[in-house]
Amino acid sequence: MNQQIGRILIIIGTAALITGIIFIYGEKLQILKYIGKLPGDINIKRENFSFYFPITTCIILSIIVSLIFSLITKLK
């Protein structure tokens, strides 16, 4: 039980570290400029209304996360 909690905390810490590095150095990575601005992302701007839904970005990120989790489970 304690080993499982420890592993989960290590995974969460690693994910937080990677996310922090992306936030710090994200402007220097050219590919991150396109996230959220892909074709298929819905962006509606009116006078008093603005709506943005990055559906294509969500689908691509979902596929990437699914592949990562699939690889992690196959490595166990």
Side-chain angles (χ1 to χ4, degrees):
M1 177 80 174
N2 288 334
Q3 289 179 350
Q4 290 176 341
I5 293 173
R7 288 180 184 160
I8 291 171
L9 288 175
I10 289 172
I11 291 170
I12 291 172
T14 304
L17 178 69
I18 291 170
T19 304
I21 290 171
I22 289 172
F23 277 120
I24 291 171
Y25 297 108
E27 294 176 358
K28 296 178 183 176
L29 298 174
Q30 296 296 321
I31 196 157
L32 293 179
K33 291 182 179 181
Y34 299 109
I35 292 180
K37 299 176 185 173
L38 297 173
D41 290 346
I42 299 170
N43 191 6
I44 301 171
K45 291 183 181 178
R46 307 291 168 139
E47 285 183 22
N48 297 325
F49 177 74
S50 178
F51 177 75
Y52 178 71
F53 185 69
I55 189 147
T56 307
T57 303
C58 290
I59 291 170
I60 291 174
L61 290 176
S62 175
I63 291 170
I64 291 170
V65 170
S66 296
L67 289 173
I68 290 171
F69 281 133
S70 176
L71 289 173
I72 289 172
T73 56
K74 287 186 179 185
L75 291 176
K76 285 186 177 181

